[in-house]
Amino acid sequence: MSTPRHIRLGSRGSALALWQTEHVATLLRGLYPGLSVETVVIQTRGDTYKDRPLPSIGGKGLFTLELEERLRRGGIDGAVHSLKDLPVIDPDGIVLGAIPTRDDVADALVVRGAREEGQNLGNGLSVLREGAVVGTGSRRRAAQLLARRPDLQIVDIRGNVDTRVRKALDPAGDYDAVVLAVAGLRRLGMEARISVTLPFETMLPAPGQGALAVQCRQETEWLAFFGGIDDTWARAAVTAERAFLAQLGGGCRASVGALGESRENGADARGGSDVRPVVRLRLWGRVSAPDGSRQVDAQTTGPRDEPDQLGRALAQQVLRQGAQEILEQIAKTDGMPNDNRQP
């Protein structure tokens, strides 16, 4: 296959999804001058059932299955997602063709009446009043907030980013604050709405948070085409995070956070004229009980070119430290196994 002159990218219809797809299109146009990119909007199950909590309608494929099916049939050439929405196991015939350079991975609070617009109040939870009502549809976020502030009232909230921000800032609304990803707010030009950027000690991000994913069919030509916008550093980090999640079997029903970071660690030991920096990957993982009563944290480092092994090893470590009991209790309470998805 010669380099195509026109491609079709599948996208959900939200403002954030469309921004992400256009960003990928811009990267591809920069790499392939003259390329025409068409955006094909596809509604997913997760977009249809906006009034129900995510775990209650099943995590796996909520925001991806319809795009993947269109991709498999040839109706689109690539599908653009927030990477954290993707299952950790690739569907038959479909692969991750590209993970572009990653954005900010942190979570943030948007707090009603807490500040003048554009004034970030720091990185703590003290901005929230006693018993504040905080909106989030993520068990990961809820559990980590409760671990630090058990007095908070966590209430489910759904909707696009702009909808959730509007609900948070409504003077007559039901929420004192909502939790959102910094990357999503930035991409929509809403960074000034951030009241507090949460430190990782308080809120470890979802595996893959802040990263985009471009799925394509498992064909050499398409892998080569999309591979031009792949970021090696981002792929290593999120591969380790997703391997950690996969080994735990965690999903929407489990609270799993992970963060991989690549770091140059001086020169290697070979000497001579072939001295190059040794790049290590640090991985931080966390499993929390839904009510925040217990958390298991662990960190490890290893070669950047072995992210899968690193993620699996860290998962075994947290399981030995007590995460197994947390996950078993969640599965028992929900009456079903977890599904390898972390919103």
Side-chain angles (χ1 to χ4, degrees):
M1 181 184 82
S2 59
T3 302
R5 300 184 63 182
H6 177 84
I7 66 165
R8 298 153 299 172
L9 293 178
S11 174
R12 295 168 60 202
S14 71
L16 180 58
L18 292 172
W19 184 99
Q20 293 172 167
T21 302
E22 180 56 30
H23 178 68
V24 169
T26 299
L27 294 176
L28 290 169
R29 292 188 194 105
L31 189 63
Y32 305 109
L35 177 70
S36 170
V37 183
E38 174 187 355
T39 297
V40 179
V41 175
I42 300 169
Q43 188 175 51
T44 70
R45 185 184 178 198
D47 299 313
T48 302
Y49 298 101
K50 292 183 178 181
D51 59 342
R52 295 165 61 184
L54 289 174
S56 73
I57 55 178
K60 181 173 286 188
L62 275 179
F63 299 109
T64 64
L65 282 178
E66 288 80 4
L67 278 82
E68 290 169 346
E69 182 58 30
R70 189 77 65 89
L71 178 61
R72 188 178 288 108
R73 297 199 313 262
I76 55 176
D77 305 303
V80 181
H81 309 272
S82 292
L83 181 55
K84 68 176 181 177
D85 288 338
L86 282 180
V88 293
I89 299 174
D90 290 328
D92 291 342
I94 295 176
V95 294
L96 273 174
I99 301 171
T101 302
R102 197 176 193 179
D103 206 331
D104 195 314
V105 303
D107 286 294
L109 287 176
V110 176
V111 183
R112 179 178 61 194
R115 52 137 181 84
E116 296 296 327
E117 184 169 318
Q119 178 190 356
N120 193 308
L121 293 176
N123 61 11
L125 296 177
S126 59
V127 66
L128 296 173
R129 65 174 178 83
E130 183 79 15
V133 177
V134 181
T136 178
S138 163
R139 282 191 174 181
R140 172 188 61 86
R141 288 168 172 160
Q144 293 185 87
L145 287 173
L146 290 171
R148 297 279 177 165
R149 288 282 304 273
D151 62 289
L152 297 176
Q153 300 180 58
I154 308 299
V155 178
D156 188 74
I157 188 171
R158 292 287 311 278
N160 298 328
V161 172
D162 51 349
T163 299
R164 283 178 279 169
V165 169
R166 185 172 65 252
K167 289 180 178 180
L169 299 180
D170 182 357
D174 298 326
Y175 305 94
D176 293 300
V178 298
V179 191
L180 292 161
V182 170
L185 291 165
R186 282 185 174 178
R187 288 165 180 164
L188 293 177
M190 303 177 74
E191 188 173 6
R193 297 297 189 184
I194 294 174
S195 305
V196 173
T197 301
L198 297 171
F200 298 134
E201 289 76 14
T202 298
M203 183 72 67
L204 208 59
Q209 184 158 308
L212 302 182
V214 185
Q215 288 180 307
C216 66
R217 290 183 290 279
Q218 194 172 13
E219 300 168 4
T220 302
E221 295 85 354
W222 285 115
L223 286 169
F225 176 80
F226 287 110
I229 62 171
D230 192 64
D231 184 278
T232 303
W233 297 76
R235 183 175 283 270
V238 302
T239 297
E241 294 165 11
R242 284 161 61 81
F244 175 73
L245 176 62
Q247 188 70 21
L248 293 174
C252 267
R253 300 174 184 87
S255 175
V256 177
L259 177 61
E261 296 178 302
S262 292
R263 296 184 176 182
E264 291 187 349
N265 195 30
D268 65 14
R270 285 174 293 177
S273 59
D274 189 24
V275 176
R276 294 179 296 178
V278 175
V279 180
R280 305 283 288 178
L281 183 62
R282 185 185 75 165
L283 182 61
W284 182 357
R286 175 179 297 159
V287 178
S288 306
D291 62 359
S293 60
R294 186 179 183 189
Q295 285 189 333
V296 178
D297 262 69
Q299 296 187 39
T300 190
T301 59
R304 193 188 68 175
D305 58 358
E306 297 178 0
D308 279 299
Q309 295 92 316
L310 193 68
R312 291 195 296 268
L314 187 64
Q316 291 300 322
Q317 182 176 336
V318 297
L319 289 171
R320 290 193 298 269
Q321 291 176 201
Q324 183 70 48
E325 290 82 359
I326 294 174
L327 295 173
E328 288 175 353
Q329 184 59 46
I330 292 171
K332 181 179 179 181
T333 301
D334 289 346
M336 61 186 72
N338 292 312
D339 61 5
N340 292 329
R341 175 63 58 88
Q342 178 67 53

